Amino acid sequence: MARKVPIGVLISGSGTNLQAIIDAIEANKLDATIQLVLSNRADAYGLMRAKNHGIPAEVLDHKNFTSREAFDAAAVETLKSRGVELVILAGFMRLLSPVFVKAFSNRMMNIHPSLLPSFPGLHVQRRAVEHGVRFSGCTVHFVNEDCDEGPIIIQAVVPVFPEDTEETLAARILTQEHRIYPRAIQLYSEGRLRVEGRKVFVDGLTKEETQALLQPPLEG
Ligand code: GRF
């Protein structure tokens, strides 16, 4: 039987990515165990999702800490005390200090709803629609000390249409987020991710020619 990597999932809100990870584990498609769901907000719906599946969940309210570093140190302590090896940021709406990043170097992933390095930061679906790009998507990357900058593990591409709104594009991207996050964690669990500088190599992949995507497509 494959090793089950002990993960901690950090959330601030709805937790649909958390749900996708739970579902993949329960379907035996992901060799991981969720040791802890940690939220910085008591009203995060994701806490309910954890409860519904009997997964330990805690709230660490950042407002109770005097500095970002103090909050981060407490979060690291909590995750380590639960035996967490890999930290999964899933809609965790806080910037991380070096205290946190160093404690889980190459052992912390984030998901971002754009094709990084395009559109880092906030409101990225709206910015993609306003810019008129033909494609956007989502990115799972290792977390380093610069926001949305770490080595890229996997990306999914979706088309963007001129009629799109922030909401329609966000929904199209979210569907793909739910596919690629469990996949990235599984690759880690199988020990197949190797980080060299900015690049992440995936061991055991057969290189196949993938077709170029065009939007709008060629006709005739
Ligand atoms: C997702 O769009 C994710 O890419 C971003 O925050 C959102 C979280 O959604 N980092 P959910 O809480 O997983 O539903």
Side-chain angles (χ1 to χ4, degrees):
M1 201 176 88
R3 169 184 98 101
K4 290 196 187 297
V5 62
I7 66 175
V9 184
L10 269 61
I11 60 166
S12 300
S14 153
T16 65
N17 278 287
L18 165 66
Q19 187 69 54
I21 293 165
I22 294 171
D23 293 346
I25 291 172
E26 292 187 350
N28 290 321
K29 289 181 181 154
L30 174 53
D31 297 311
T33 53
I34 304 179
Q35 302 291 106
L36 180 67
V37 170
L38 190 60
S39 173
N40 66 314
R41 297 179 55 122
D43 60 355
Y45 182 70
L47 291 167
M48 193 66 83
R49 297 180 191 272
K51 197 168 163 235
N52 289 342
H53 292 265
I55 296 166
E58 277 186 34
V59 176
L60 202 57
D61 189 338
H62 58 274
K63 294 196 285 301
N64 295 336
F65 293 84
T66 50
S67 69
R68 188 175 296 283
E69 287 72 19
F71 172 84
D72 283 5
V76 168
E77 182 56 38
T78 305
L79 292 162
K80 290 201 162 161
S81 74
R82 298 274 189 162
V84 168
E85 174 184 328
L86 177 69
V87 175
I88 300 299
L89 305 180
F92 184 62
M93 301 305 285
R94 284 187 60 80
L95 293 174
L96 302 183
S97 69
V99 169
F100 207 150
V101 176
K102 286 205 180 88
F104 289 97
S105 173
N106 286 343
R107 292 192 293 122
M108 174 152 47
M109 294 181 184
N110 181 44
I111 191 157
H112 182 80
S114 78
L115 291 176
L116 289 172
S118 288
F119 305 113
L122 295 174
H123 310 300
V124 299
Q125 299 95 334
R126 187 199 316 160
R127 284 160 50 209
V129 168
E130 284 172 0
H131 196 93
V133 293
R134 294 299 195 200
F135 291 101
S136 187
C138 44
T139 305
V140 177
H141 62 93
F142 282 116
V143 176
N144 66 13
E145 288 179 22
D146 301 306
C147 184
D148 300 330
E149 262 292 318
I152 291 170
I153 300 165
I154 184 168
Q155 295 185 305
V157 179
V158 304
V160 184
F161 305 107
E163 303 76 20
D164 267 320
T165 61
E166 178 178 5
E167 289 75 24
T168 59
L169 178 59
R172 194 175 304 128
I173 292 173
L174 198 59
T175 302
Q176 300 307 316
E177 294 185 36
H178 300 160
R179 300 174 69 204
I180 67 170
Y181 220 171
R183 170 79 168 138
I185 300 166
Q186 179 63 14
L187 288 172
Y188 177 97
S189 181
E190 292 172 1
R192 293 169 62 188
L193 299 179
R194 199 161 28 89
V195 183
E196 286 180 26
R198 277 218 51 83
K199 290 194 187 172
V200 179
F201 291 86
V202 181
D203 291 337
L205 277 193
T206 49
K207 237 190 254 159
E208 282 171 18
E209 286 290 321
T210 38
Q211 270 192 333
L213 301 171
L214 282 71
Q215 173 58 30
L218 299 183
E219 284 167 347

